[in-house]
Amino acid sequence: MTKAQPLTRHIISINDLTNKEIETIFEVAQGFLKDLADDNISYRIGRSTDVAAKSILATLFYEPSTRTRLSFESAMLRLGGANITSADPTVSSAAKGESLADTIRVISNYADVVVIRHPRDGAARLAAEYSQIPVINGGDGSHEHPTQTLCDLFTLKTKKKSLKNMKVAISGDLKGSRTIHSFVYALARFGATIDPLPAPGMELPAYVDRRLREEFHCRMVSKDPGQPHGGSIDALYVTADQPHQLSLIPDPEIDYGLLVEKKIDAVYVTRFQKERWSEKERAYPKVDAKFLGEARFSEASVMHPLPRVNELDASFDTDRRAVYFQQAAYGVPIRMALILLLLHLQKNQSLNRFSGGFAEPDHPVYAQPIGTGLQCDNPNCITGDPAERQYAANKFYIVESDSPRQRRLRCVYCEKDIDETTAVHFVVADTVRKTFSPGLQPLAHAGHDRLKHLVIYRSDAEAAASGFAPRDSGGNKVRTG
Ligand code: NCD
């Protein structure tokens, strides 16, 4: 009998972890903070263990990093393991044009776990498809940064005990900040209220806003007590206890007025993500003593994933509410815990339940090779990278929203949606019958084998140009000529 291999888990999104698993990571991290404490600083790991001796972590970074890479490497050393690193794409084979898909297959044979950072949205998901070892997303474009969120949540938990009913303001570049995207999903999942304070034009992206409301049960409540219903702007995201529909039906258990008036428990500041914008400067809020002097921030922990540039005044560092250096310090115990669990080196059986994922998406997946049918229209998606095109696919979740008629496609890699618009009218072509028909309906009930024969286009004209004929209402091929 062959021995069962432990499951290879990849942490690409914060939603790849269940709430229970996040709690387990915190418990293990807390254990390290206790057992390997620095004698003088409570949140610093001061000693090492050898639990991961002989294991190797690879850090593969295509973008600048200080905290994420060094805290992962420090975590591995504290566990008794070793690191190999490729931190400068100009001196690796990336400079010769090597694809991520090839690089990761090679690295899979050199290390036991890999952390990757990449400028393209969805790069870490593509890497995971080609990896035999666990892939941890250390930040992919403006998509997600799940391990930063683990540090953020852990910091909040140590300060405030429970996230339930906590009110967290998020400030700055909510559009370009990957840290924010992972963070807001987690806040919603743990029952916090989110108070967005975006810089002008930098609101949460539509796909994140929509997932908060449709999948994470957030209800929009206007910050203006005179307005009963909130729009996406100037509204709080309040998490309901019960699933679904709650974006429409108020939860009788929640006093929304009280939540609007409630003081802020934490404010999370982010820098302008200039590398994700074409402009190098934009009007941007400055968080300083004056701003934080408002009564609503009097008990707020002030957080920042760092690096900060000018948006958070250094004079604030000595304020009792500043927790950002502690937040960065937690990168070591949190990442130690994550590595240990992913490598199945956790000996304590009660903590060794690291399986499954958060609500594994049960949406059907449509996939066709790049070049066939509809492609993700996010220009920064990994599927648009010329070096990766032959390794990626046009792969979408078929997502149904409130009404089954409203189907849309979510790119499996970057998770951005493609909606029907005035310019986009999905049609589905059948490669066996050589016909096409309007709408995504044929995909909804197609089994796996049938899905392989269906190709989505954006319009009748695109399907026709690819050699398909329209079907009439009786399902017959329309004769032309
Ligand atoms: C963040 C990142 O890379 O997204 N940095 C980090 O890992 N702490 C935040 C940022 O760069 O602004």
Side-chain angles (χ1 to χ4, degrees), residues 67-68 117 145 148 178-179 271 273 275 305-307:
R67 268 152 296 277
T68 304
R117 170 169 289 187
H145 193 346
Q148 178 64 47
R178 53 194 175 202
T179 57
R271 75 180 166 92
Q273 305 282 306
E275 63 275 44
L306 302 177

Side-chain angles (χ1 to χ4, degrees), residues 126-239:
L126 178 73
E129 287 184 351
Y130 285 90
S131 179
Q132 300 172 70
I133 58 173
V135 174
I136 302 172
N137 181 6
D140 60 333
S142 61
H143 174 230
E144 282 207 43
H145 193 346
T147 65
Q148 178 64 47
T149 291
L150 294 174
C151 304
D152 303 340
L153 285 187
F154 188 70
T155 308
L156 273 177
K157 257 200 101 178
T158 53
K159 291 284 155 203
K160 307 275 174 179
K161 306 293 178 253
S162 161
L163 300 175
K164 189 96 199 121
N165 299 326
M166 188 185 286
K167 188 167 166 183
V168 181
I170 46 169
S171 152
D173 185 355
L174 312 190
K175 186 162 191 209
S177 296
R178 53 194 175 202
T179 57
I180 291 274
H181 304 156
S182 300
F183 191 44
V184 292
Y185 295 145
L187 288 175
R189 284 173 44 193
F190 280 93
T193 291
I194 304 162
D195 185 351
L197 306 174
M202 299 185 196
E203 291 79 21
L204 283 176
Y207 78 99
V208 175
D209 162 75
R210 196 187 250 164
R211 286 190 75 185
L212 285 174
R213 288 181 288 110
E214 291 181 2
E215 286 173 40
F216 300 97
H217 319 309
C218 282
R219 182 180 154 75
M220 304 301 294
V221 177
S222 176
K223 291 185 207 172
D224 176 353
Q227 298 284 324
H229 301 292
S232 299
I233 293 178
D234 239 25
L236 300 176
Y237 293 86
V238 179
T239 319

Side-chain angles (χ1 to χ4, degrees), residues 23 99 106-107 168 189 207 308 322 342 346 354 428 479:
E23 302 278 11
S99 69
V106 170
I107 291 181
V168 181
R189 284 173 44 193
Y207 78 99
R308 69 173 151 191
L342 285 176
Q346 171 60 48
F354 207 65
V428 174
R479 285 182 193 286

Side-chain angles (χ1 to χ4, degrees), residues 91-129:
V91 298
S92 74
S93 286
K96 302 177 188 166
E98 187 175 49
S99 69
L100 175 60
D102 280 355
T103 307
I104 205 81
R105 275 180 285 191
V106 170
I107 291 181
S108 282
N109 297 314
Y110 299 165
D112 303 300
V113 52
V114 55
V115 185
I116 161 168
R117 170 169 289 187
H118 198 281
R120 290 264 185 184
D121 308 335
R125 186 70 72 195
L126 178 73
E129 287 184 351

